[in-house]
Amino acid sequence: VDSSFVRASPAGGDWAGRTAEDMARDIQRAQEEADRVAEGAETGLSDAELARQLQAEEDRYARREQEVRLQQQQQKMEEEKRQKELQVRAEKERQKQNAKKKKDCIIM
């Protein structure tokens, strides 16, 4: 047993401590990597082209998000403007009401 508590002696006496399972795993990884490379070759895009494509997609997404944010800000500003106008109208109405009441009750 080594410091990682892994069995130090390989099963079957393979060279450099490699077991049949290790060899099978390495072959499988190599095959998977070859498949991934082949898939990339099928699309016809190099790494630089893929990077450009991804960057363009990210830029479009960011632009869309910014447009949504700006629309929300504009809607919020319009709503605040409407609220202020309503408040101003209500204040003017109150002032009219108060002005009428004062004229009606003059005591001498």
Side-chain angles (χ1 to χ4, degrees):
V1 177
D2 62 2
S3 63
S4 300
F5 298 101
V6 177
R7 188 176 227 174
S9 60
D14 289 338
W15 61 277
R18 293 179 49 97
T19 63
E21 290 85 15
D22 292 338
M23 195 70 136
R25 214 174 310 124
D26 290 343
I27 292 171
Q28 185 178 7
R29 284 185 194 148
Q31 183 62 38
E32 289 172 358
E33 182 65 27
D35 291 345
R36 271 188 266 140
V37 170
E39 286 175 13
E42 288 173 8
T43 61
L45 299 176
S46 69
D47 289 345
E49 291 170 332
L50 286 173
R52 276 188 236 110
Q53 181 182 358
L54 287 173
Q55 187 62 48
E57 289 175 11
E58 288 176 3
D59 291 344
R60 281 192 299 273
Y61 179 77
R63 229 177 288 120
R64 242 182 286 131
E65 288 292 316
Q66 186 177 15
E67 289 171 0
V68 168
R69 235 179 281 117
L70 288 174
Q71 288 176 351
Q72 289 173 344
Q73 286 176 348
Q74 288 175 348
Q75 290 173 353
K76 185 178 177 182
M77 289 174 62
E78 289 173 2
E79 182 63 30
E80 288 174 356
K81 184 178 178 182
R82 275 188 245 126
Q83 290 295 327
K84 281 185 180 182
E85 288 174 358
L86 288 174
Q87 288 175 352
V88 168
R89 285 183 193 164
E91 184 63 33
K92 285 182 181 179
E93 285 293 320
R94 265 190 299 236
Q95 287 176 354
K96 272 187 182 180
Q97 296 280 338
N98 289 339
K100 286 182 183 178
K101 288 182 183 178
K102 288 181 183 177
K103 290 180 182 178
D104 290 343
C105 293
I106 298 177
I107 299 175
M108 292 190 184

